Amino acid sequence: MSDAYCSDCKRQTEVVFDHSAGDTVCSECGLVLESHSIDETSEWRTFANESGDNDPVRVGGPTNPLLADGGLSTVIAKPNGASGDFLSSSLGRWQNRGSNPDRGLILAFKTIATMSDRLGLVATIKDRANEIFKRVEDQKSSRGRNQDALLAACLYIACRQEDKPRTVKEICSVANGATKKEIGRAKEYIVKQLGLETGQSVEMGTIHAGDFMRRFCSNLGMTNQAMKAAQESVQKSEEYDIRRSPISIAAAIIYIITQLTDDKKPLKGL
């Protein structure tokens, strides 16, 4: 219950909301203060008793500006208990005849979302990867290329542009079988295509050894003291002109720190 001003009681009183009628009623005098109001809160009832499904979801996903229909198309599901001839029925034939032109994009976005979840990436990176893939797909020049490698490369570029870089090896671990070589080629292809689209080079963002340090230390199970020493070391290394890849610098610092502690790590594990 909450408080509201009642015109009959001439003061603030507790009010009760009648969900079935949409009325706001004064708890002391019974005056209806507001009628037929719309309840904008979530509804968690289930309306799938006939199927035994307890999923209370009654709405679809959010709109997606990258899809032609905003992602609000309707798909007729196969009824429970129906035979396998559903798609050959008139209803199934009509659905196939008006198939969604964005079906390929939807599947690609789902794959990117799955890879992002497995890597623990935030939604902004996933959305950026979706946008990059959509731009490449609109150019109609990616036909025949490895789809998994393209999607993984989009995710790699998105991580770089959002200043949350991941190594190609990390991206490869969730790329559904695409190799590092294939992802590398796909990345070069995407960068080239985006450059042709905008007429200027694609900004990939600068990566530093410190971008990987905390994650690498955590994956190796290093202690907080060793992790702090590694982070201080990588900050100190930025004062010097070390012409090596940031990943190599991070790995070298971690190896040196672990060799100075009791928890030594072999080079093969880095």
Side-chain angles (χ1 to χ4, degrees):
M1 291 191 298
S2 59
D3 293 343
Y5 181 79
C6 176
S7 57
D8 276 8
C9 299
K10 306 296 184 182
R11 58 186 175 85
Q12 292 280 342
T13 61
E14 287 189 345
V15 295
V16 178
F17 185 74
D18 184 353
H19 293 270
S20 60
D23 294 340
T24 302
V25 184
C26 175
S27 61
E28 296 190 10
C29 68
L31 178 68
V32 177
L33 304 178
E34 185 179 359
S35 61
H36 303 294
S37 58
I38 299 175
D39 184 6
E40 297 180 352
T41 59
S42 301
E43 183 173 43
W44 297 110
R45 291 181 295 166
T46 177
F47 292 82
N49 295 332
E50 68 278 2
S51 65
D53 185 5
N54 293 323
D55 185 5
V57 175
R58 297 185 61 207
V59 297
T63 58
N64 189 338
L66 300 178
L67 301 177
D69 57 3
L72 299 178
S73 59
T74 300
V75 177
I76 304 173
K78 180 178 178 180
N80 291 322
S83 64
D85 298 331
F86 168 69
L87 292 179
S88 63
S89 66
S90 59
L91 187 62
R93 286 197 301 271
W94 275 107
Q95 176 166 296
N96 286 339
R97 188 174 301 175
S99 60
N100 190 344
D102 289 329
R103 181 173 297 178
L105 278 178
I106 294 173
L107 292 176
F109 292 166
K110 286 183 178 179
T111 302
I112 289 176
T114 300
M115 291 191 294
S116 299
D117 290 341
R118 291 176 63 185
L119 288 173
L121 303 177
V122 296
T124 53
I125 295 178
K126 179 193 69 174
D127 294 340
R128 176 64 68 91
N130 289 343
E131 179 188 348
I132 293 171
F133 180 78
K134 176 67 164 57
R135 290 169 60 187
V136 174
E137 189 71 10
D138 286 345
Q139 297 184 30
K140 308 295 183 184
S141 60
S142 60
R143 182 167 297 180
R145 294 184 175 271
N146 187 325
Q147 180 86 343
D148 290 324
L150 279 175
L151 296 174
C154 289
L155 196 59
Y156 174 82
I157 295 172
C159 289
R160 291 278 301 270
Q161 292 183 342
E162 292 293 325
D163 295 326
K164 300 293 182 182
R166 293 295 187 273
T167 65
V168 177
K169 184 177 180 180
E170 289 176 302
I171 298 293
C172 185
S173 66
V174 298
N176 301 318
T179 64
K180 290 195 292 185
K181 189 174 183 179
E182 290 172 332
I183 295 174
R185 288 176 177 174
K187 185 202 76 171
E188 297 299 327
Y189 165 75
I190 292 171
V191 170
K192 179 181 177 181
Q193 293 302 119
L194 296 181
L196 291 174
E197 178 192 31
T198 60
Q200 56 187 5
S201 60
V202 178
E203 179 60 42
M204 290 282 288
T206 305
I207 59 176
H208 305 277
D211 296 331
F212 307 98
M213 188 59 67
R214 178 175 292 275
R215 191 167 67 256
F216 285 1
C217 292
S218 178
N219 292 339
L220 291 170
M222 295 172 59
T223 63
N224 291 333
Q225 184 178 5
M227 188 182 301
K228 183 178 180 181
Q231 290 177 325
E232 291 177 353
S233 299
V234 77
Q235 291 175 0
K236 187 68 176 179
S237 69
E238 294 178 356
E239 300 177 3
Y240 303 96
D241 184 20
I242 305 176
R243 300 183 181 181
R244 294 291 186 273
S245 74
I247 299 173
S248 299
I249 295 173
I253 290 175
I254 291 174
Y255 178 74
I256 294 172
I257 294 298
T258 56
Q259 294 307 302
L260 297 174
T261 63
D262 295 333
D263 187 21
K264 293 181 171 57
K265 304 291 182 183
L267 278 173
K268 188 176 180 180
L270 298 178

